Amino acid sequence: MVESWQDPKAPIAARVEALLAELTVEEKLAQLGSFWPARDEDEGDGEVAPMEDAMDGGPATLEAASAHGLGHLTRAFGTQPVHAAEGAAALEKAQREIASRSRFGIPAIAHEECLTGFTTLGATVYPTSLAWAATFAPDLVERMAARIGADMRAVGVHQGLSPVMDVVRDYRWGRVEETMGEDPYLVGLTGAAYVRGLEAAGIVATLKHFAGYSASRAARNHAPVPMGPREFADVILPPFEMALRLGGARSVMNSYSDVDGVPAAADRHLLTELLREQWGFTGTVVSDYWAIPFLDTMHRVTATRVDSGAAALTAGIDVELPTTDAYARLADKIAAGEFDEAIVDTAVRRVLTQKAELGLLDAEPDLAAPNPDVDLDSPENRALAAEIAEKSVVLLDNDGLLPLWPNTQGGGTTSGEDADGLDSSSSGGKLALIGPTADNARTFLGCYSFPNHVLSRFESRGTGIPIATLREALSAEWPDAEVSYEQGVPIRELDRSGIPAAVAAAAAAEVCVLAVGDLASLFGRGTSGEGCDAPDLALPGAQTELVEAVLATGTPTILVVVSGRPYALGDYADRCAAVVQAFLPGEEGGAAIAGVLSGRINPSGHLPVGVPRTPGGQPGTYLAPPLGQYSEGVSNIDPRPLYPFGHGRSYTEFAYSAIELSATAIPNDGEVDIAVTVTNTGDRHGEDVVQLYLTDEVAQVTRPVRELAGFTRVALEPGASQRITFTLHADRTSFTGRDGTRVVEPGAFTVAVGHSSTDLPLQGRFTIEGALRTVEGARVMTTGVRSAEN
């Protein structure tokens, strides 16, 4: 007999209420818990989650964890190396065991990490989030997320713990690589696109870390967040709201940090009043791993583990991850009348609703993987990974040396000798390749990629997928070149013994490619990634000394920075022939960088974070009011970046002209069109990122000098033009006023259009007329863009 709650044709709400009425307290609490299968302790060392070894609470076996049912199953694929078919079979077995042990036969929601691709053995490793943002191409990110989601669904996964919606406030923070930059609008649009792609594939997208995590004091992981409510509302929160309203994310994960003394995991105002009552979110809130026990062990806002569970559930966290501990202890408290069962019921409704949406409450849920033999690193995946990598590489500076020895299959067509006297008509010359990121494929990958997140703990396992190093990619790009390689120094150790050999190789070469940067890992095992925070923004280890030694040879040097955060390059960038930035560009990163150097690829990436001039004086992102910028006569510290937010050069040139505003004054709920003409004035095809910035000239609170209000990529042949029109609604000028409400304030505004946040050749001005308007509920969150051939 099919129960009413098992009928897929019945309304989900009715099904959930029917099942909820049948559950005991213990069965309800089980739906709010999870289980993390133990990894093989004979292999691998090092944690994959914070304080993993210290968290010994919760059941030790799946049998114990699922005695009354189970809400989530944690990382069946992402804990240790398993092939797709093997993992799918193990997941199906676990699901059948969970269902058979439950009175009602309800399976668990299987969740995995998926930031730079499905975090499992053999899956494609795409560029990291900071690289997505450097493309300024949300549609490309949406395509990527759809492929990631399809691979996850193929093997039976339901939920992905991505994307990271944190806005960078301090470049020293280890998880900068996981973000989409320092501008809330760029983060919001890019993150919403990722969510749409993942959700379209049937995977529940999870926004994290809600909220404030990236603004920790001194950029230390988990450290307190000293931030006022207006900055929190105008910088930290908008990307999350955009990803919910524009992307349709069905889950949110809390931040570990406290904001002004209140941990997010115990903040009812944040997780219920704001998220649900104001924004209308109806999905599930899941805890970051062990964030609930951290309330008593780390934050010390609760005295016992059961108190932590009560505080988190009351605040609005529905599911405890990665394993059940605090929530399972609430049964006695409920029986004693010390905790309201209605609070539990509210969370269980949300979990069961999601299970119904996923088909897990049906009479015969399909527990077999749809396609366990899926190729998780298919040619189509790799082609998309290459496209993103190519569009993410940023040419920061170039004295004319690049493109070097242009590849005849693409790139430049110069001939004869260039300005440096190098033979640019050849297919290669004598090249010295120096540096610690030159011959290590893992330096292209983020900390949540499977090779760095898990395989790095297992000796002799390699990367699990083919990844060409930069050394291999350059040899393929210029097969006739004579390439000599020296590491020079390690990435983070202070071993200088290899510098003399590196100097000798550079001195003997026509040109030197000097590859420096990061190796992403976890909790201090790398130089970028979770728990890998930096004391300053100097290159790690002895890499700065290597750079200085190589530059002292006088050989024309191309500095290639492969990193998860921007590093201060001001001491030597002007002595480099060219500077290239690649933000952990993924498994196809080597070929992308090589293609940019040869000219096979015309660089089109733009900076989602500024590149500092000096290693100290942090934090200093571009989104700041006048006194947060350079203030001559006020402070001796100059925070202006060496390369600003939005900067990126090309092998062609783009001219901006003929700005026109559709109105000089608009009502407080109106809109204005800003049109400009963009022309490729160079001699080769290229792509540029056209950027619109907004300045509020006078406001009731301090406002940023300028903030990104719109952007679009344009692709133009030599001599071609496009007319780009941005439609800016008055809502896009709104901010949090003195009374804590969002307002559109009448007054004058400047708009500027150009190549970066400082290179803005075109400006216009309009005013908003009428009374101060309070903005409540949904608002216009995006700036429309349309283009026409000119």
Side-chain angles (χ1 to χ4, degrees):
M1 173 181 172
V2 176
E3 301 290 343
S4 61
W5 56 267
Q6 295 176 313
D7 182 3
K9 296 180 181 179
I12 286 179
R15 296 173 66 190
V16 168
E17 290 302 323
L19 178 56
L20 183 64
E22 299 291 328
L23 299 178
T24 66
V25 167
E26 289 78 12
E27 288 168 335
K28 291 175 182 178
L29 292 172
Q31 290 301 313
L32 308 183
S34 56
F35 179 69
W36 195 351
R39 71 172 190 241
D40 186 350
E41 295 298 336
D42 293 333
E43 288 191 272
D45 56 12
E47 299 175 351
V48 297
M51 301 183 66
E52 178 183 335
D53 294 340
M55 295 294 115
D56 56 0
T61 65
L62 180 60
E63 180 179 3
S66 59
H68 300 288
L70 189 64
H72 272 239
L73 197 56
T74 296
R75 296 180 65 176
F77 289 87
T79 301
Q80 59 188 15
V82 291
H83 292 285
E86 176 188 0
L91 177 57
E92 180 182 349
K93 179 182 177 182
Q95 290 281 38
R96 295 194 183 283
E97 181 178 343
I98 293 165
S100 67
R101 194 167 288 117
S102 164
R103 275 201 306 149
F104 301 99
I106 307 170
I109 294 172
H111 74 254
E112 295 287 345
E113 297 285 357
C114 59
L115 189 63
T116 61
F118 183 11
T119 304
T120 191
L121 181 67
T124 302
V125 180
Y126 295 91
T128 196
S129 317
L130 201 58
W132 314 341
T135 69
F136 280 74
D139 290 349
L140 192 58
V141 174
E142 184 171 346
R143 286 170 49 205
M144 175 198 71
R147 296 204 68 86
I148 294 171
D151 287 343
M152 295 170 75
R153 277 304 302 134
V155 295
V157 176
H158 305 105
Q159 182 163 348
L161 302 187
S162 292
V164 172
M165 303 303 297
D166 300 307
V167 178
V168 174
R169 302 303 284 161
D170 190 325
Y171 305 137
R172 297 173 298 176
W173 190 49
R175 303 187 80 166
V176 166
E177 65 166 72
E178 298 178 55
T179 75
M180 289 165 270
E182 66 185 66
D183 183 88
Y185 188 63
L186 177 61
V187 174
L189 274 190
T190 309
Y194 181 98
V195 168
R196 285 193 299 271
L198 208 63
E199 290 279 357
I203 296 293
V204 175
T206 309
L207 310 181
K208 59 187 190 183
H209 307 85
F210 193 65
Y213 188 32
S214 58
S216 58
R217 183 177 282 118
R220 294 177 60 250
N221 193 34
H222 294 206
V225 175
M227 179 176 285
R230 277 188 295 276
E231 183 180 357
F232 192 76
D234 289 345
V235 176
I236 300 299
L237 293 179
F240 290 94
E241 187 177 5
M242 292 174 72
L244 292 175
R245 296 192 189 278
L246 306 178
R250 287 182 284 170
S251 191
V252 170
M253 175 179 279
N254 72 281
S255 164
Y256 283 120
S257 298
D258 71 84
V259 178
D260 197 24
V262 181
D267 190 347
R268 181 171 175 80
H269 170 73
L270 178 72
L271 300 178
T272 297
E273 294 171 12
L274 174 70
L275 179 63
R276 296 190 184 279
E277 295 173 8
Q278 293 185 35
W279 291 358
F281 177 65
T282 60
T284 58
V285 175
V286 300
S287 79
D288 207 340
Y289 287 12
W290 292 297
I292 297 175
F294 282 0
L295 292 175
D296 57 87
T297 62
M298 304 300 292
H299 292 294
R300 299 194 298 181
V301 296
T302 55
T304 66
R305 188 60 45 82
V306 69
D307 288 344
S308 296
L313 197 55
T314 300
I317 293 182
D318 302 309
V319 180
E320 180 180 12
L321 300 182
T323 192
T324 309
D325 184 7
Y327 282 5
R329 306 178 191 219
L330 288 171
D332 290 342
K333 202 174 182 72
I334 293 168
E338 298 173 354
F339 191 75
D340 189 353
E341 187 176 348
I343 297 174
V344 176
D345 289 349
T346 298
V348 175
R349 283 189 185 93
R350 295 168 185 153
V351 174
L352 294 181
T353 296
Q354 205 159 82
K355 288 193 173 186
E357 293 170 349
L358 294 167
L360 298 178
L361 297 190
D362 294 353
E364 295 183 4
D366 188 0
L367 301 181
N371 182 15
D373 296 319
V374 62
D375 182 356
L376 297 177
D377 191 31
S378 66
E380 294 80 9
N381 283 9
R382 295 193 72 100
L384 183 55
E387 184 179 357
I388 297 169
E390 291 168 4
K391 292 181 184 297
S392 74
V393 177
V394 185
L395 178 62
L396 297 178
D397 231 332
N398 182 23
D399 70 358
L401 178 62
L402 295 182
L404 180 68
W405 306 321
N407 188 312
T408 57
Q409 294 183 358
T413 57
T414 57
S415 61
E417 289 192 349
D418 62 20
D420 293 285
L422 299 177
D423 183 1
S424 61
S425 64
S426 70
S427 59
K430 193 170 184 180
L431 174 72
L433 176 60
I434 309 295
T437 65
D439 198 32
N440 184 345
R442 288 176 56 212
T443 62
F444 293 150
L445 315 180
C447 78
Y448 268 81
S449 67
F450 193 80
N452 283 351
H453 199 73
V454 176
L455 281 183
S456 61
R457 299 185 290 108
F458 295 82
E459 292 187 7
S460 304
R461 291 295 188 110
T463 57
I465 49 174
I467 306 175
T469 66
L470 182 57
R471 182 182 183 183
E472 293 166 336
L474 292 181
S475 294
E477 195 75 21
W478 296 302
D480 298 328
E482 180 183 340
V483 180
S484 59
Y485 162 73
E486 293 289 343
Q487 176 181 271
V489 298
I491 287 175
R492 61 178 183 150
E493 292 81 7
L494 293 174
D495 179 358
R496 303 170 178 85
S497 61
I499 291 180
V503 167
E510 293 178 62
V511 64
C512 175
V513 172
L514 178 53
V516 297
D518 283 322
L519 174 62
S521 190
L522 298 165
F523 310 115
R525 300 195 297 272
T527 58
S528 176
E530 185 174 3
C532 297
D533 311 313
D536 59 37
L537 295 173
L539 286 168
Q543 292 185 62
T544 297
E545 296 173 55
L546 175 66
V547 172
E548 292 287 2
V550 168
L551 290 175
T553 65
T555 299
T557 297
I558 302 161
L559 183 67
V560 176
V561 184
V562 180
S563 64
R565 65 166 61 84
Y567 284 106
L569 308 179
D571 285 346
Y572 38 79
D574 61 348
R575 289 178 282 146
C576 297
V579 183
V580 174
Q581 173 71 59
F583 292 114
L584 306 183
E587 64 182 37
E588 293 289 342
I593 296 170
V596 166
L597 298 186
S598 74
R600 175 174 53 82
I601 298 165
N602 192 353
S604 61
H606 285 249
L607 289 174
V609 288
V611 172
R613 188 176 302 274
T614 59
Q618 288 298 308
T621 66
Y622 96 100
L623 205 65
L627 287 174
Q629 310 281 345
Y630 176 58
S631 307
E632 188 174 3
V634 175
S635 172
N636 62 312
I637 295 178
D638 184 353
R640 288 177 294 188
L642 179 64
Y643 303 109
F645 174 86
H647 173 77
R649 297 187 61 182
S650 170
Y651 295 145
T652 189
E653 298 291 335
F654 297 93
Y656 288 55
S657 62
I659 187 168
E660 183 180 2
L661 275 63
S662 62
T664 57
I666 62 172
N668 62 11
D669 60 353
E671 60 187 26
V672 59
D673 285 349
I674 303 105
V676 300
T677 297
V678 183
T679 303
N680 182 347
T681 59
D683 61 1
R684 64 174 291 177
H685 174 275
E687 297 185 27
D688 195 19
V689 176
V690 185
Q691 301 164 49
L692 171 71
Y693 290 87
L694 177 71
T695 299
D696 190 343
E697 296 182 11
V698 179
Q700 60 179 271
V701 297
T702 60
R703 301 284 293 130
V705 169
R706 64 179 58 93
E707 56 188 326
L708 185 68
F711 63 86
T712 188
R713 285 182 72 102
V714 295
L716 294 170
E717 295 296 332
S721 298
Q722 277 191 18
R723 188 70 172 167
I724 305 297
T725 302
F726 296 98
T727 299
L728 184 75
H729 193 277
D731 284 0
R732 298 284 291 112
T733 71
S734 66
F735 60 91
T736 302
R738 291 190 182 190
D739 65 357
T741 61
R742 179 168 288 276
V743 296
V744 172
E745 192 173 50
F749 297 84
T750 298
V751 289
V753 182
H755 308 275
S756 76
S757 57
T758 61
D759 184 2
L760 297 165
L762 302 181
Q763 291 193 356
R765 193 168 184 264
F766 71 96
T767 59
I768 291 179
E769 298 179 337
L772 181 78
R773 177 169 68 88
T774 299
V775 181
E776 296 178 331
R779 65 188 185 278
V780 177
M781 305 190 77
T782 62
T783 299
V785 186
R786 61 184 187 274
S787 62
E789 297 297 327
N790 207 38

